[in-house]
Amino acid sequence: VQLQASGGGLVQAGGSLGLSCAGSGRTFSNWSMGWFRQAPGKEREFVSSIKWTGSTYYADSVKGRFTISRDNAKNTVYLEMDSLKPEDTAVYYCAAAWGSMPTMALGINDWGQGTLVTVSS
């Protein structure tokens, strides 16, 4: 499985950014796709995930500000991030898991490369 993430960058607080992650190497039917993030000195934490069926899940810290979606035909997951805050600054990692996405990073084997999101105050 390969997960290729893109997007990210530098944005001012209150702004918006979008991330995308394209999967390849297998069929992603019945797989959840999603995002984790890791800030300097902190553990990797769950951000959001979406099941094959379209059910979505969000961390409380991003609920109402981030929107996850996927295009099953393209094996691609998207994360639209609005009303960004400086505390959203982190390296964002795309992840894939069969069935439901674990909310603990230790439970995931398939990761994309990270993409840096920096929110300035």
Side-chain angles (χ1 to χ4, degrees), residues 32-33 48-58 68 70 99:
S32 288
M33 299 181 77
S48 181
S49 68
I50 183 167
K51 283 189 170 182
W52 172 259
T53 57
S55 297
T56 58
Y57 305 87
Y58 297 94
I68 192 168
R70 68 187 285 170

Side-chain angles (χ1 to χ4, degrees), residues 28-61:
F28 283 86
S29 59
N30 297 318
W31 282 64
S32 288
M33 299 181 77
W35 299 89
F36 284 68
R37 67 187 181 187
Q38 189 165 18
K42 295 188 176 182
E43 293 186 353
R44 194 170 297 189
E45 65 176 4
F46 172 79
V47 175
S48 181
S49 68
I50 183 167
K51 283 189 170 182
W52 172 259
T53 57
S55 297
T56 58
Y57 305 87
Y58 297 94
D60 288 342
S61 59

